[in-house]
Amino acid sequence: MYCVLVPGVESARVEGPAEQVAPEAARAHDRPSRCLVGGAHAFILRVSSYFGLAPLKFESRSNGLSVSISSAMCIYSYILVTILVVCTILGLVAEVSAGVEVSVRMPSRMAQVVSACDVLVVVLTAGAGVCGAPRRMRTMLAFMGSVAMVDTSIGGKYSKSTERKLCALLLCILIFFSVLLADDFCFYAMQAKRTDRQWNVVMNYAGFYLLWYVVMILELQFAFTALSVRARFLAVNDALALTARHLYIPLEKAKSPSPLNVYAIRVSPPGPGGGVDPRANVSLLVDSLAAREQPVVLTKSVHGTAALGVSPSEAVRRLASLHGTLCEVVRCVDSSYGLPLIVVLISTLLHLIVTPYFLIMEIIVSTNRVHFLVLQFLWCLTHMLRMLVVVEPCHYTIAEGRRTQSLVCRLMTSVSERPALGSLPSRVELFSRQLLLQSVCYSPLGMCTLDRPLVASVIGAVTTYLVILIQFQRYDT
Amino acid sequence: MYCVLVPGVESARVEGPAEQVAPEAARAHDRPSRCLVGGAHAFILRVSSYFGLAPLKFESRSNGLSVSISSAMCIYSYILVTILVVCTILGLVAEVSAGVEVSVRMPSRMAQVVSACDVLVVVLTAGAGVCGAPRRMRTMLAFMGSVAMVDTSIGGKYSKSTERKLCALLLCILIFFSVLLADDFCFYAMQAKRTDRQWNVVMNYAGFYLLWYVVMILELQFAFTALSVRARFLAVNDALALTARHLYIPLEKAKSPSPLNVYAIRVSPPGPGGGVDPRANVSLLVDSLAAREQPVVLTKSVHGTAALGVSPSEAVRRLASLHGTLCEVVRCVDSSYGLPLIVVLISTLLHLIVTPYFLIMEIIVSTNRVHFLVLQFLWCLTHMLRMLVVVEPCHYTIAEGRRTQSLVCRLMTSVSERPALGSLPSRVELFSRQLLLQSVCYSPLGMCTLDRPLVASVIGAVTTYLVILIQFQRYDT
Amino acid sequence: MYCVLVPGVESARVEGPAEQVAPEAARAHDRPSRCLVGGAHAFILRVSSYFGLAPLKFESRSNGLSVSISSAMCIYSYILVTILVVCTILGLVAEVSAGVEVSVRMPSRMAQVVSACDVLVVVLTAGAGVCGAPRRMRTMLAFMGSVAMVDTSIGGKYSKSTERKLCALLLCILIFFSVLLADDFCFYAMQAKRTDRQWNVVMNYAGFYLLWYVVMILELQFAFTALSVRARFLAVNDALALTARHLYIPLEKAKSPSPLNVYAIRVSPPGPGGGVDPRANVSLLVDSLAAREQPVVLTKSVHGTAALGVSPSEAVRRLASLHGTLCEVVRCVDSSYGLPLIVVLISTLLHLIVTPYFLIMEIIVSTNRVHFLVLQFLWCLTHMLRMLVVVEPCHYTIAEGRRTQSLVCRLMTSVSERPALGSLPSRVELFSRQLLLQSVCYSPLGMCTLDRPLVASVIGAVTTYLVILIQFQRYDT
Amino acid sequence: MYCVLVPGVESARVEGPAEQVAPEAARAHDRPSRCLVGGAHAFILRVSSYFGLAPLKFESRSNGLSVSISSAMCIYSYILVTILVVCTILGLVAEVSAGVEVSVRMPSRMAQVVSACDVLVVVLTAGAGVCGAPRRMRTMLAFMGSVAMVDTSIGGKYSKSTERKLCALLLCILIFFSVLLADDFCFYAMQAKRTDRQWNVVMNYAGFYLLWYVVMILELQFAFTALSVRARFLAVNDALALTARHLYIPLEKAKSPSPLNVYAIRVSPPGPGGGVDPRANVSLLVDSLAAREQPVVLTKSVHGTAALGVSPSEAVRRLASLHGTLCEVVRCVDSSYGLPLIVVLISTLLHLIVTPYFLIMEIIVSTNRVHFLVLQFLWCLTHMLRMLVVVEPCHYTIAEGRRTQSLVCRLMTSVSERPALGSLPSRVELFSRQLLLQSVCYSPLGMCTLDRPLVASVIGAVTTYLVILIQFQRYDT
C-alpha cells in the first residue's frame, strides 16, 4: 500500500540552518533510476529479464552491471506473456474439445475441470508476475538505495565465493526444475503416442510448461530479495552484538569478522574511474554520507577482527535508525510481491492436496506405472520445495527480528545505571520502544503471515484431508 | 457496548477557572439531533431511507441536506419490514406446501431445508438491519460531530468530483445487483411456466427479492461509513507525515496537497446565511473551536502545497487527540453494526459454500443449462463481492492504523535528543504509548476481526470443502 | 495454579516503622473461614448446596446468611455424587445388556457407543464439579474478601431490586431446564411402554437426569461468579470515568449514579449489633481500611449524583491497585473452575454436533414424530444456552478490560503536560504500563480463552460438519 | 538458530579498567566441556546413553558423576542407530514382500501403506534424536553452567527425596511402556503362530520396537530438561515474591522455605577435595561470583524461613538478569530439540487419529477380540501420555512466565512513589519493560508453540475426524 523509502533519513540529523538541509532532503525524494549490480543478483536479474519478470536494460561497467528500467523490455515482457497465455488457453480449449476419450491428461469430465483449474492458476500467477514487473523493478531500484546505505553505514563487505555458491544453488534449482518439466512433458507425449496425438499434446502444452518456468523464477526472485534484506538484518544484529562486546557485555560469542554480506544486492561505490554517471547514481547520497560518517563496524586488517568504528552510543542510535529503514524495505518488498505471492500460495496448497493423493492412490491401486509414480513423487517434492522457497526466507527474517529484540533487551538490562555511558541507556530504551511498534514480517496483501506456522497449518490440512480420503477409500472399493 | 463520543475533548484543555468550562463540557454531552450532509453521503442515506434502513427526515438547505431522526420514518420502516417479512414467510410456506413435484426451487426434501435456511437468513439480516436502524442513525449523528471536528481541526476540504465518482460506483453496484436479481427472478418464473405456476412463484418470492435489496443496501451503508472513518485516519496520517517533513525528517514522499477528504460525511459550516438553526447544529462547538484554533494543515493557494498551520509540537498533540477520537468513532460504528454484520458474514459463508458447489456440479454433470450456469457464476461473484464490500474498508482502516504506528515510530526515533524541539519528543512518546493501548479494528460483537485473514480462512474453508466434495463425487457416481 | 489473594495490599502503603505493619500483614494471610452473603448469591449457594456443589453451613443473621465450609456437607456431597454416579453407570450397563432390540435410546450398536459417551461425559462433569467443590468454596471465601474490599474502597451500594431480578432469572432457567428434562424423560418412558419396559427406563435413567441438574447448576454457579467479578470491573471503570469528569475531561457521558453494584456477592459490614464474630470476619481489614480511608466515589444524597471522595491522583492510584486485585480474583476463579469448565465445553461441542444432526435428519426423513422434533429443537437451544451461560460473562469481563484500556489511554493523553495535577500524570502512566502486563481473561486450564471467537469457531465447526453431512446424505440414500 | 549462553553477564557489571575485565569476559566464552551431575539427572543421562541419546563419558566422583562428551560413545550411538534402522527397514521390506495373505499387521494393500508410514515415522524420530545427540549434549553442558549460576545466585538447595521420587516416576513410565511394547509384540507373534510365521515376525519387528524405546526416552529427556529450567523460573518467582514480602507488600502467601530446587540438574560446587579439575569446571566463574556476591535468598536455620540476603533493589536487578539468562536457556533447549520434537508431534497426531479409530471400530463391529481391544486402548492412552509428556513441561514454563509478569506488575504498582526505596522503582520498571520484549515459550523450529491450546486443537481435530468417520460408517455398512 504505502511504500516509502527515503534514504536520506540519516542526513536529517543536522539541526542547523534549515535552508541548507531542505534542498538535499527534497533531492532525496527523487526516484533513483539506475544502479550497479553484480554477482548472483545480476544473474537472477538476467534470468528474470529473459522471462519478462525484470524489464531492465543491462549495461556492462568496469565494476558490475548498470541496470535501469527499459521501456523496450517492458514491451517485450508484455508481448511474451500475452503470446504464452494465448497459446496456453488455446491449447487448453483444444484439449477439452478433443474429448475425454483421446486426451491423455483429461480422461474424464472431472479431470477436465481439475486440469483447467491447474492451467488457469499457472496462467494467473505468471500474468500477475509479469504485469507487476515494471512497478516491482522500480521499487527494487528504490530500496536498493536504502540497502546500499545500510551496507555503507555498517561497513559491510562482499565475498566473491558466497556469490558463486549462490549462483550455483540457483542453477541447481533451475536445472532440477527443467529436468522435471521435460520428463513430465515426455511422459504425456509418450502416452499420447498410442493415439498418435503426440504433436497435438506438444503444441497444446508447450505454453503451459513455459509459464511454469515464469512462476518458478518469480518465486526465486522473491526468495532472493527476501534473503538479501535478511542479510542486512543479520548485519545490524551482529553490529549490535559487537557494540555489546565493546561495552564488555558478552551477549554472544564472537563470530568470524566478515559474515556481514552473504547474499548480495551489490551497489558498487563509484570510484573515480567508475562508469556510472554520478548524477544518476543512487548511492551518491550514501557516499557523501560515508565520506562524512565513519562506518559502525571496522574490520581491522592486522588481526582480522571486527571493531566498532564509532562510540557505542552513536552505534546504537544509527543501528536503530538502520533497523527502521530495513523495516520500511520489508514493507516495500511485501507490497510489491503481494498479489503474485498469494496466487502462488493458493496454487501450492491446491497442488499439495491433489498431487500426494494421486501418488498414494497409485501406490495402493498399483497398476505398475513406475514412471508415473516417480513423476508424482518428484512433483510432490517440487511443490513442497516451492512452498519452502517462499516461506523460509521470511522465517529467517522473523528470526532475526526476534534476535534483535533479545539483543536490545539484554543490552537494556546491562547498560542501565551506568552513568559513564552518557546517552546510551536512553538510546537503547528508545530502540526497545521502537521494536514494540515495528514488526518484521511479510504478509502478502495482509492475507496471512509468511512463516513456519503457515507451513504447519498447510501440512496439517493436507494430512487430515489425505487421511480422510484414504480411510474412506477402503469402504468404497 | 459502550459507545461514547464527546466532541468536546479539545475544549477541556483549558486549565483555568473550572466554572466556565463545566457548563460547556456539560453541553457537549447533549445528543446532537441534526446535521448537514451532502454528496454521496446524502445519496446513500436517501436510498437507505427508502428501504427502511435510515429513518431520517431530509430538509433541503442552501449548502446541503439537513437530516434528523424522524418518528414517522421509523414507523414507515417497521411497517415496511413487517410486510416484507410476512409476505416472504407466507410465500415460503406456500412453496413448501405446494410439494416437491411442482416447486421449481425445491425439487426435493433436502432442497426445501436448504431453501428455507436461505430465506430465513435473508429475513433475519434484513430484520436486524431495520430494527436497529433508529439506534444506528442516532449513533451516526453523534459521531458525525466527531468526524466534522477532525475535519475542521486538520483543515480538510471536500472535492466535488470524488463525491460524484462515489455516487457512480454506488449506482453501478446497485444496478448490477438489480439486474442479477431480476434475471434470477425471471429464470425461476420461466421454469415455473412449464407447470403454469409462474404467478405463484412471482407472488411467493417477491418479498424475498426485496429483502435481498435491504441486505445489500445495509452492507453498502456500512462500507460507506467505514470508508468515511478511514479517510479521516488517512488525513491524520498525512498530517503526521507533513509534520515530519516540516521538521526535515522526510518519512514519506510529498503527496498531492488535497487527498484529505475523499469519502464524505459532509458537515457544512453554518455560514451567516446558512439555513440551519445554530442552536441545533452539531458543528457549533467545532466552529467555535475552529474560530479559536488554527487548523493543523493549511493549503496555501499560491503553490497549492500543504503546510503546517501550527507548531510541530502542537500538531502532534492534536493529532494524537484526534487519533483517540477516531478510535472511539470506530468503536461506535462497530457496536452499532455488530449484529447485522455477523448475520451477513454467516449468510455469506453459507452461500459461498453452496453456490460454487452447484456451479461445479453443473459444469461436470453438464445438462446444457447455460442460463443456469451463468446465473450461478454471477451469484458466486456477487457473494464474493458482498464479502469484499464488508471486509475491504475494515482492512484499509487497519492498514492506516499500522501506518500511524510506523510514522510515530520513525518520528520518535528522529526527534529524540533534539532539545530545540521543546515538548515534541515527550508528546511523540506519549502518542507511541497511546498506540500500544488502542487498537484500530472492527470486530462485530467481538466474534471475529474483520480483515483479510478472515477472507483467507473463508476461502480456505470453501476450497477444502469443494475439493472433498468433488473428489468424493467421482467414486459415488 | 497460583491463586493468591491478599486483601491487605492497601495496608502496605505505610512506610513507617515496619514492626507495626508486619503482624497486620501476616494476619492478612490467614484464610478467611466465613463471610456474610445475601440476595441472589445466597440463593445460588443454597441451590448449589442441595446438589453437592457448595458444601457450606448456612447460619441466619440479622443482615444476611453467614456461610462457612462444613465438613458434614462435604461428606453429604461426596455420598450424593457417589450414589448418583453408581446408579447412572449401573443403569447404563443394564440398558446396554438389554440389547438393541428393546432399548429405546440405543436401537443400534452405534447408538450404544454414542449414548455411553453422552452418559460418561455428564458423569465426568458432575464428578469434577462435586469433587472440586470444597476447594472452590474455600477459594470463593478468600476472594469474597477482595471483592468486599473493592466495594468498600470504591463506595458501592447494593440494590434490592436487581437482586430480585437476578433470582427470578436463575429460577426461570432452572424451571425451563426442569421442564425439558421431564419432557425428555416422559418421551422415552412412553416409547418404552410399547415394550413394557417403562419402569426399567425410569430406573436406569433417573440418576442420569439428576446428574444433568448438577452440571447445569455448576455452570450457573460459574456464570454468577464471573458476573459478580465483572460488576466490580464495571465499577472501577465507572469510577475512572468519574475521575476524568472531575478533571473536566468528558471521556464518557455521565451515567446514573448507582449502577455500581448490580450482581451480588454481598459482604455486610458488621455493625455493632451484627451477628458475626469480628475475629472471624473477612471484612475486618476492609472495615478498618474504610474507617481510615475515604471511599473513592461518594453518592451525594441531595442530587443523587456521584462525586469523587478523594483527589483524582489518589483515586487513580487506588483504582490501579483495585484493578490489579480484580485481575488476581479473575485468576483465582479461573483456576478453581478450570477442569469442570473444560469438560463442560467439550460436552457442549459434542452435543452441538450431534443434536442438530438428528434434528435435521428428522426434518428431511420426516417420520411425523412431532414430539421428538420439538424435543430435539429444545435440546439444541439448551446446548446453545449452556455455551452462552459459560461464555457471555467472560466476554463481558474482557469487554470491561478493553474499556479500562481505552479510559486510561484517553486519560493519559489528557492529563499529560498539566503540571497543576501533581503526581497524576505519572500515576496514570504507571496504570497504563500495568495494563500492558496484566490481561483480563478466563482461560480454563490454559486450554483456550473463553470469549466470543470461541463461540464463532464452535458455530463454524458445527456448520461445516452439518453441511458436509447433509450434502453427502443426498448421494448415499 | 542462535543459542548463546554467556554465564559471565553478572561479571560485566564492573565499570572500572576495561583491561582487567576483558580477559575474564573472553574466558567466559570457552565452551564448558564437563560438569558434575547427580540424582535423577544422572539416572536419565545414564539411560539415554545406553540408547545412544547421550554420548557421554561418566566418571564417578565423591559428590556425583562427572560427565563429558565422549567420542567413543558418539561412535557407539551412530553404530547402534544405524544397525537398528537397517534392521527395521529390512524387516519392513520382508513383511511387505511376504504378501497381504500371510502378514499379521498388513492384511491389505492399504494397511501396508499405513504400516510403512508408521515404521518410517519412528525411524525418522529416532534418527533425528540420535544424530543430533552430540550437539544437544554440548548445548546441555553449556546451559548447565547458566542454570548452576542461577542456583548459586539465588541460593537454592537440593532435596534428596524429590530426586528419588523423580527417579521412581521415570522408572514407572519406562516399565509401563516396556510392558505395553512386550504385550503388543506377543500379540502379533501369537497371531502369526497360526501361519507359522512367528519367528519371521519377531525378527522383522525387533528393531522397530527398540526404536520405539529410543523415541520414548528422547521425549522423557526433553521433558526432564524443560522441567529443570522451569524449576529455576519458579525459584526466580519465589525470590521475587520474597522481595515483595521484605518490602511489606504481601503479593503472595509465604510458602515453605525450600521449594526452590525440585527437579535437578545438579552442579556440585567443587570443594577442596572435589574430584573435578578446577580449570575445566563450568562452575568456576559461578563460584568466584558466589564468593564475591551474597546469594539473593538465605535460608535461616533457626526458624527454617527464607530471607533476603541482599537489598531489595539489588535483588530485583539480579533477578531480572537471571530471568534474562533463563530465557536464553529456554531458547537453547528449544533450538537443540527442535527437529525431533516436530517429528514427535506429527507422529503423535497421526497415531491419535488412527488408534482411536481402530478402537471404536472394534467396539462397534465387535469381533470379540478382547486382547486387541485392551491393547488399542492402552496405545490410545500411551499416545495421549506422549503428547502430555512433551507439552505439560512447556505449559508449566509458560505459566511461570505469566506469574513473573503478574508479580513484576504488582511490585511496580506498589513501589512507585516511595523515594526511600532508592533505585528500586526504576529497576522494577526496567524489569517490566524487559518482560514486554522477552517471551518464555518453546516453539520447536518456529512451527508451533508447545502449550495447552495445541493439545486442545489436536483433541478438536481428532474428535471432529472420529465423529465424521463414525457417522458415515452407519450409512456405508
Side-chain angles (χ1 to χ4, degrees), chain A residues 80-238:
Chain A
L80 179 80
V81 82
T82 311
I83 291 173
L84 287 178
V85 165
V86 168
C87 284
T88 310
I89 303 270
L90 287 180
L92 180 68
V93 171
E95 281 290 305
V96 167
S97 49
V100 293
E101 294 80 18
V102 295
S103 175
V104 287
R105 288 182 81 127
M106 305 171 173
S108 70
R109 191 86 190 167
M110 232 280 298
Q112 284 185 342
V113 175
V114 169
S115 207
C117 284
D118 190 4
V119 168
L120 289 179
V121 158
V122 171
V123 163
L124 212 66
T125 317
V130 171
C131 291
R135 195 172 70 88
R136 212 152 52 232
M137 285 303 117
R138 226 166 278 129
T139 312
M140 190 202 71
L141 290 179
F143 71 68
M144 274 175 72
S146 296
V147 164
M149 189 191 71
V150 172
D151 288 1
T152 319
S153 185
I154 286 182
K157 256 167 255 75
Y158 304 98
S159 80
K160 287 250 170 188
S161 67
T162 316
E163 298 281 337
R164 264 187 234 114
K165 276 182 214 152
L166 209 61
C167 288
L169 182 67
L170 281 173
L171 265 178
C172 285
I173 294 178
L174 285 177
I175 288 169
F176 168 74
F177 191 66
S178 309
V179 169
L180 176 64
L181 281 187
D183 190 28
D184 194 74
F185 201 26
C186 294
F187 175 77
Y188 283 109
M190 266 150 59
Q191 292 268 321
K193 220 168 187 172
R194 297 177 196 164
T195 53
D196 251 338
R197 290 190 72 251
Q198 69 266 44
W199 292 113
N200 296 50
V201 166
V202 167
M203 274 172 56
N204 289 340
Y205 285 107
F208 174 62
Y209 283 103
L210 281 172
L211 284 181
W212 256 121
Y213 249 101
V214 176
V215 170
M216 198 68 198
I217 285 162
L218 179 68
E219 291 184 31
L220 287 175
Q221 201 186 31
F222 169 74
F224 188 86
T225 311
L227 282 176
S228 301
V229 177
R230 182 247 171 183
R232 272 69 200 188
F233 274 109
L234 187 67
V236 166
N237 283 343
D238 285 346

Side-chain angles (χ1 to χ4, degrees), chain D residues 174-223:
Chain D
L174 286 177
I175 289 169
F176 166 75
F177 191 65
S178 308
V179 169
L180 175 65
L181 281 186
D183 191 29
D184 193 74
F185 202 26
C186 294
F187 176 76
Y188 283 109
M190 267 151 57
Q191 292 267 320
K193 221 170 187 171
R194 296 177 196 164
T195 54
D196 251 339
R197 290 189 71 250
Q198 68 267 44
W199 292 113
N200 295 51
V201 165
V202 167
M203 274 172 56
N204 289 339
Y205 284 107
F208 174 62
Y209 284 104
L210 282 173
L211 283 181
W212 256 121
Y213 249 100
V214 176
V215 171
M216 198 68 199
I217 284 162
L218 178 68
E219 291 183 30
L220 288 176
Q221 200 186 31
F222 169 74

Side-chain angles (χ1 to χ4, degrees), chain C residues 213-277:
Chain C
Y213 248 100
V214 176
V215 170
M216 198 68 198
I217 284 161
L218 179 68
E219 292 184 31
L220 287 176
Q221 201 186 31
F222 169 74
F224 188 86
T225 311
L227 281 176
S228 301
V229 176
R230 183 247 171 182
R232 271 71 201 187
F233 275 108
L234 188 67
V236 166
N237 283 343
D238 286 345
L240 211 52
L242 189 68
T243 309
R245 260 201 303 288
H246 187 81
L247 296 163
Y248 307 113
I249 307 160
L251 293 192
E252 302 195 347
K253 282 174 302 142
K255 289 188 189 161
S256 55
S258 60
L260 291 173
N261 44 5
V262 196
Y263 309 95
I265 285 172
R266 186 169 172 184
V267 180
S268 305
V276 184
D277 179 18

